[in-house]
Amino acid sequence: MKQHRLAAAVALVGLVLAGCDSQTSVELETPAQKASYGIGLNMGKSLAQEGMDDLDSKAVAQGIEDAIGKKEQRLKDEELIEAFAFLQKRAEERMAAMNEESAKAGKKFLEDNAKREGVVTTESGLQYEVLTKAEGAQPKATDVVTVHYEGKLTDGSVFDSSIERGSPIDLPVSGVIPGWVEGLQLMHVGEKYKLYIPSELAYGEQSPTPAIPANSVLVFELELLSIKDASAEQ
């Protein structure tokens, strides 16, 4: 098989590994068996994210068996390319629809959230509310700050949390997503804010991790602990 002709579909090849029959009893004792399961598990997660829910598990198993056994392939390259192209196109269409729906849901969330008492909307569209007020110094874009935070989607699912890890982080104010850059410069040391960040001030149409879908509004509880003294570090 001419592998370069299937390069555009390599990602989808991995997805089909997840189609193995869930009713099949397997042993997971040896390192090879465990690694095999891990491959299937990872690919299964990718499969679920892509919406590939109609693959034939028996055909998947047959393909794996033929490949491992170095048997003659049962379909021509042209047939495989056509099939992969179909799945790729369908996946892209489904993803576009999901992204559009996510954008609409995010817009509706922010519109409703803006009406709540205590929520302030800035000119950029960033929304925030002050959870704990303080009179400390305010950071500049050129500063490095120490913060504690927890990031959630609008459905409440946590995708990152320094609080859970039990360790605050140092970061340059200008080196984070635009919603944080703006929000941090509004805060005083000792304050805790809740930021509601529109997707265009976060990751936009990109999905940085599976935990953050494209066009997601991000919700952060953010506590500004201190501003680092640059001169003290020299």
Side-chain angles (χ1 to χ4, degrees):
M1 182 184 295
K2 297 179 180 178
Q3 297 296 333
H4 68 278
R5 298 175 63 185
L6 292 175
V10 166
L12 288 175
V13 176
L15 293 179
V16 302
L17 291 177
C20 294
D21 188 349
S22 60
Q23 301 303 315
T24 301
S25 177
V26 297
E27 294 185 1
L28 302 175
E29 301 296 334
T30 70
Q33 289 171 335
K34 293 177 181 179
S36 299
Y37 176 75
I39 291 172
L41 187 65
N42 290 335
M43 296 309 171
K45 292 177 180 178
S46 296
L47 176 68
Q49 291 160 13
E50 295 291 342
M52 301 291 186
D53 53 5
D54 60 349
L55 296 178
D56 188 320
S57 61
K58 293 181 179 179
V60 171
Q62 187 65 65
I64 295 174
E65 182 180 337
D66 287 351
I68 293 176
K70 297 181 173 57
K71 299 178 183 179
E72 182 178 355
Q73 65 187 53
R74 300 171 186 236
L75 295 173
K76 296 178 181 179
D77 288 355
E78 291 76 10
E79 293 177 279
L80 294 176
I81 292 170
E82 182 180 357
F84 286 138
F86 171 82
L87 291 182
Q88 181 70 51
K89 183 174 184 295
R90 188 181 66 173
E92 290 173 352
E93 290 173 347
R94 287 182 174 180
M95 188 60 66
M98 289 173 57
N99 290 349
E100 182 178 357
E101 185 62 30
S102 180
K104 289 180 180 178
K107 181 179 180 181
K108 179 68 164 55
F109 173 86
L110 291 170
E111 288 175 350
D112 293 341
N113 193 59
K115 300 173 185 176
R116 292 196 307 107
E117 183 178 356
V119 174
V120 179
T121 303
T122 70
E123 186 176 347
S124 71
L126 174 70
Q127 296 179 358
Y128 70 91
E129 56 184 318
V130 180
L131 303 181
T132 302
K133 188 150 183 71
E135 301 297 330
Q138 287 181 284
K140 305 182 294 295
T142 54
D143 285 330
V144 174
V145 296
T146 303
V147 300
H148 246 328
Y149 69 91
E150 182 165 80
K152 299 180 180 181
L153 301 180
T154 56
D155 65 3
S157 57
V158 177
F159 58 82
D160 192 15
S161 176
S162 70
I163 297 172
E164 286 186 359
R165 293 190 295 273
S167 177
I169 66 168
D170 296 340
L171 52 85
V173 174
S174 62
V176 288
I177 58 175
W180 268 47
V181 174
E182 180 180 356
L184 282 168
Q185 292 180 84
L186 296 172
M187 300 178 70
H188 297 78
V189 172
E191 287 189 327
K192 181 184 290 186
Y193 274 31
K194 195 165 189 176
L195 302 180
Y196 305 88
I197 304 179
S199 63
E200 58 268 26
L201 297 179
Y203 299 103
E205 297 181 353
Q206 304 301 314
S207 174
T209 74
I212 304 177
N215 293 329
S216 291
V217 171
L218 305 184
V219 181
F220 285 95
E221 285 195 14
L222 179 62
E223 183 177 9
L224 179 57
L225 300 176
S226 64
I227 300 173
K228 303 284 286 186
D229 185 349
S231 62
E233 297 182 353
Q234 295 178 351

